[in-house]
Amino acid sequence: MTILVTGATGQLGRLVIERLLARGASPESIVAGVRDVAKATDLSALGVTVAVVDYDRPETIPAALEGVDAVLLVSGSEVGRRVAQHQAVIDAAAAAGVTKFVYTSAPKAPTSDLVLAPEHKATEELIAASGLPAVILRNNWYTENYAADLARAAETGVLAAGVGDGRVASASRKDFADAAAVVLLEDGHIGEAYELGGDVAWTYTDLAAAIAEVTGRPVEYQQLSTEEQTASLQAAGLDAGTVGFVVALDAGIRNGALADTDSTLARLIGRPTTPLVDGLREIA
């Protein structure tokens, strides 16, 4: 079976390729889809095939799909443009007769009020309409998302956010990458929509304690109201659109959008997910 991993020079895509190889896939069976081949020399060195897959240039995609059986569509990072970008890959995969199509979505995308959910919901709908044999991986937050908070708290001793007592079932990016590798390599999984999260759903009080353990200095979690958070972000020089996005994101977390965990991720990868403090230590 030949597997195409899109976004292969991104943080998740690279890890998926590493996990595919670690789980026994041969380099010859992997195609790394990238926007810029000049940034993929390390992937070429692994022996995998590197092909241009530019979400914004649909004409690049069919050639990369020649002889490919399974595709991992790593969701794009350009908010507001992702649905059209994903559509290009979905259409090309359907035309190529791909027998397994895996997509990295967001938690409970069809029903979530998380500000990031609508584009993922729309993409899931496009996949369903295409008739592709699909697997949806609804990934919770990556612990690595907190790298900036970790660095800021290390300097100030303060973790400030508008999430209230909301919980986050994060896991390390390598955990989610491992799950993608499992689903791509194993028979089955077609038709499943897996809600994937860490084994523990933690609060920002827990996050502050974990950061304190990693940095070796006390860290206080400062709960911000919507008004306080908006003012703080504006004072930091962020534009109105970014301020609104961040405030809405924290509101989603406050309302429980990232709180659920049911051990599906740990079951898929065959081990516990990476604990919060260990994940933070890896990025400190």
Side-chain angles (χ1 to χ4, degrees):
M1 181 176 67
T2 302
I3 299 168
L4 168 66
V5 177
T6 73
T9 52
Q11 293 171 311
L12 181 64
R14 287 180 187 274
L15 285 173
V16 172
I17 290 175
E18 289 178 12
R19 296 312 304 160
L20 286 169
L21 293 170
R23 287 186 172 271
S26 66
E28 296 78 17
S29 70
I30 301 172
V31 179
V34 303
R35 181 175 292 180
D36 183 355
V37 295
K39 296 180 179 179
T41 54
D42 60 327
L43 297 175
S44 297
L46 294 174
V48 307
T49 300
V50 175
V52 175
V53 174
D54 187 335
Y55 297 164
D56 291 320
R57 293 191 294 143
E59 69 276 10
T60 66
I61 303 171
L65 284 165
E66 291 181 8
V68 166
D69 304 292
V71 171
L72 173 65
L73 172 55
V74 176
S75 57
S77 59
E78 297 171 276
V79 177
R81 300 180 59 193
R82 293 189 284 191
V83 177
Q85 292 174 333
H86 297 164
Q87 176 81 75
V89 180
I90 293 164
D91 289 346
V98 166
T99 57
K100 180 180 284 187
F101 190 88
V102 183
Y103 173 63
T104 61
S105 189
K108 297 184 178 179
T111 58
S112 175
D113 61 0
L114 193 69
V115 67
L116 291 171
E119 286 184 300
H120 291 291
K121 176 185 178 182
T123 299
E124 289 191 23
E125 291 171 348
L126 291 173
I127 293 169
S130 74
L132 282 164
V135 188
I136 306 299
L137 304 179
R138 294 180 180 147
N139 292 351
N140 205 301
W141 247 220
Y142 304 135
T143 299
E144 290 85 349
N145 291 353
Y146 293 94
D149 293 288
L150 174 65
R152 192 177 303 112
E155 291 182 3
T156 66
V158 175
L159 171 68
V163 302
D165 295 321
R167 292 181 176 269
V168 179
S170 78
S172 289
R173 193 176 275 111
K174 65 183 180 183
D175 298 334
F176 293 105
D178 207 13
V182 168
V183 166
L184 287 163
L185 291 172
E186 288 184 350
D187 292 334
H189 302 290
I190 299 297
E192 297 288 350
Y194 291 121
E195 298 287 344
L196 301 181
D199 295 336
V200 176
W202 46 261
T203 66
Y204 270 54
T205 299
D206 300 323
L207 177 59
I211 292 174
E213 182 174 341
V214 170
T215 61
R217 67 163 298 171
V219 175
E220 173 194 2
Y221 168 40
Q222 184 180 94
Q223 293 194 31
L224 302 177
S225 67
T226 297
E227 294 74 21
E228 289 170 336
Q229 185 180 29
T230 299
S232 174
L233 295 171
Q234 290 173 337
L238 298 183
D239 63 85
T242 302
V243 170
F245 180 84
V246 173
V247 170
L249 194 60
D250 275 16
I253 295 173
R254 184 172 62 245
N255 294 332
L258 303 179
D260 290 350
T261 180
D262 65 0
S263 301
T264 299
L265 177 55
R267 177 176 58 80
L268 279 175
I269 63 180
R271 58 173 174 80
T273 61
T274 305
L276 174 62
V277 69
D278 294 340
L280 293 173
R281 193 171 282 118
E282 290 175 359
I283 61 175

